[in-house]
Amino acid sequence: MRLTAAIVAASFVLAGCAYNGDDPAGTAAGNGEIDGEAAFLEHCAGCHEDGAQNAPRIGHPGEWQSRSTLWQAVLMEHAKEGYYDMPARGGKTELPDEVVNAAAEYMLEKTFPHRPED
C-alpha cells in the first residue's frame, strides 16, 4: 500500500514538472505574446529560484557577476545551448526559442532591472 501511494505521489510531482506541449509558456498575457514570468515559473524556477545545482538565483545579481557582461546575448545562448551543469533549454529540448527567450528575459529584468541593453 505504501509503495502504491509513493508511486502515485511521485507521478503527480513528475506530471507537474512535465512539458505537455499544449501551452509551452502559459500565454497568459492574452495578446499572443509569451508571458516571461509564466515561462520562468514553469520551466526555470525549479533551479533558479533556490539555486539548485549551483544555478544563479533570480534577483541575486552577485551570483551572476562571473557571467559575461553581454547579458542578453550570452544568457539567451546559454539558455538554448546549455552552460556548465545546466542542460540546454533546462533539459526540455522541445521548448521553442520564444519560450526560452521570454523566460531568460524575465530573469534578466528581475535580476538586473537597470542593465544596459546589448
Side-chain angles (χ1 to χ4, degrees):
M1 187 65 160
R2 281 188 187 167
L3 179 59
T4 302
I7 291 171
V8 170
S11 66
F12 281 121
V13 170
L14 292 174
C17 296
Y19 167 70
N20 65 15
D22 291 340
D23 187 8
T27 54
N31 58 7
E33 290 185 26
I34 296 172
D35 182 334
E37 180 178 14
F40 167 78
L41 291 171
E42 184 173 345
H43 305 294
C44 309
C47 292
H48 288 286
E49 271 193 340
D50 64 5
Q53 299 179 19
N54 296 316
R57 294 175 295 162
I58 188 171
H60 295 267
E63 295 179 14
W64 296 82
Q65 292 303 320
S66 65
R67 288 4 187 221
S68 171
T69 56
L70 296 175
W71 301 110
Q72 190 169 0
V74 172
L75 180 63
M76 300 302 177
E77 179 183 329
H78 289 171
K80 291 176 195 165
E81 304 298 324
Y83 188 71
Y84 289 118
D85 290 337
M86 186 184 90
R89 298 170 192 279
K92 300 175 183 180
T93 58
E94 70 282 355
L95 283 180
D97 287 352
E98 297 80 13
V99 173
V100 176
N101 289 345
E105 184 62 32
Y106 175 79
M107 284 194 286
L108 281 175
E109 289 171 2
K110 292 299 178 185
T111 305
F112 298 98
H114 305 295
R115 77 185 193 290
E117 293 293 322
D118 286 350

